[in-house]
Amino acid sequence: MCYATSLTKSKKEIEETFKRDFAVPLEYQKHYHLNGFGSGMLHIIPMETDRIYPSNWGLIPEYAFEDPAGFKADYNTLNARSESIFSSRTYKKSAAESRCLILADGFYEPHHYKSKSQPYYCKLEGHKLFAFAGLYTALDDELYSASIITVPANELFEQIHNKKKRMPLVLDDQFLNNWIEPDLNQKQVEELMRVGFTTTPFETYPVSNAIYQRGVETDVPEILKPVEPIDPALGGGELTLF
């Protein structure tokens, strides 16, 4: 699962990296800790568009458009499991017709040790920008709703997210355009989810448990500072998988 992300880069750097402009520039605010259960916006590149758009985090399927608040009260759609997107009533239409890139430069995963949990910050080597594989629906002409696709954890994220053993699908740069091609069939989408995870090394380290606390301001640069790990097996430095 992936319920918190970061996007700390400037508009200019994001636009230059993804070769697209922001459709609603004033909506963009960098964030160091975006909680999926809060009100902050993701930024996505929807299929068959050439711009970056704001998006609510948590896909609202078309059948729930008349009562989105009721749907969100009953269902958590921050993440979509890769194994079931084509069999799910909620996701199957988007999986076939509405895939997107969700922009980020980091995310947080919980590590469990004994009876405690500690968040780990996960970023690409060099703190590079990247894109999650996502699904979306269009709520209006300039606003979307989206879910991040998750897949079974690899060797690194089995150590970090050691309870659920899942990880968000961070796409390798070579597959970014493939993911949002409109003519992919189900088999091709499933193959991308199987082989598309980035080959760029990840760097991960524990950060403050403040992100789990209510009433604490965590969308600040200091939240990215490393702290001591509670699990001695993970050591005191960054974990990197090549």
Side-chain angles (χ1 to χ4, degrees):
M1 62 186 182
C2 177
Y3 293 164
T5 67
S6 70
L7 185 56
T8 67
K9 305 300 190 288
S10 68
K11 286 198 293 284
K12 180 180 179 181
E13 186 171 353
I14 294 169
E15 290 175 337
E16 289 178 348
T17 297
F18 292 101
K19 298 178 174 58
R20 290 171 174 85
D21 295 331
F22 281 88
V24 191
L26 293 178
E27 284 287 345
Y28 177 68
Q29 293 183 346
K30 65 174 61 177
H31 50 260
Y32 300 91
H33 173 241
L34 176 65
N35 182 349
F37 296 99
S39 59
M41 291 283 186
L42 295 171
H43 283 82
I44 73 172
I45 299 172
M47 188 184 295
E48 298 190 277
T49 68
D50 59 359
R51 307 188 82 182
I52 301 167
Y53 288 88
S55 174
N56 291 328
W57 192 353
L59 184 142
I60 305 296
E62 290 183 1
Y63 67 79
F65 278 3
E66 292 187 1
D67 186 17
F71 177 84
K72 293 192 74 169
D74 291 335
Y75 298 99
N76 173 3
T77 59
L78 301 180
N79 296 167
R81 292 175 64 91
S82 62
E83 299 92 328
S84 58
I85 59 172
F86 281 103
S87 60
S88 165
R89 181 188 178 207
T90 298
Y91 298 118
K92 63 183 179 181
K93 190 173 190 300
S94 293
E97 303 174 4
S98 303
R99 297 179 302 279
C100 65
L101 303 176
I102 299 176
L103 312 186
D105 65 0
F107 59 95
Y108 299 80
E109 293 285 9
H111 177 75
H112 295 270
Y113 179 68
K114 296 184 177 179
S115 60
K116 298 180 179 179
S117 177
Q118 182 175 47
Y120 269 67
Y121 185 61
C122 310
K123 59 187 176 73
L124 290 183
E125 190 175 59
H127 209 174
K128 292 171 51 180
L129 284 160
F130 61 80
F132 299 112
L135 305 176
Y136 73 91
T137 56
L139 302 178
D140 60 35
D141 290 342
E142 294 185 342
L143 181 63
Y144 297 80
S145 70
S147 297
I148 294 172
I149 290 180
T150 67
V151 295
N154 63 16
E155 180 183 350
L156 172 64
F157 287 102
E158 281 186 345
Q159 296 178 66
I160 301 301
H161 196 185
N162 57 338
K163 192 171 184 179
K164 298 287 187 179
K165 297 190 176 181
R166 304 287 297 179
M167 64 183 184
L169 177 49
V170 176
L171 289 166
D172 197 80
D173 288 348
Q174 66 177 310
F175 296 123
L176 295 181
N177 290 330
N178 297 105
W179 181 253
I180 53 176
E181 286 179 5
D183 298 326
L184 298 184
N185 58 37
Q186 178 175 336
K187 184 176 180 180
Q188 291 170 318
V189 173
E190 289 174 340
E191 180 67 5
L192 276 174
M193 292 190 294
R194 187 181 69 83
V195 304
F197 193 80
T198 183
T199 57
T200 302
F202 261 97
E203 299 170 345
T204 69
Y205 57 85
V207 294
S208 171
N209 275 54
I211 70 168
Y212 297 149
Q213 300 171 15
R214 294 183 178 181
V216 177
E217 177 54 65
T218 57
D219 191 13
V220 292
E222 291 73 24
I223 203 65
L224 301 184
K225 291 182 178 179
V227 300
E228 286 297 315
I230 61 173
D231 184 349
L234 296 187
E238 294 181 348
L239 289 179
T240 303
L241 180 67
F242 292 89

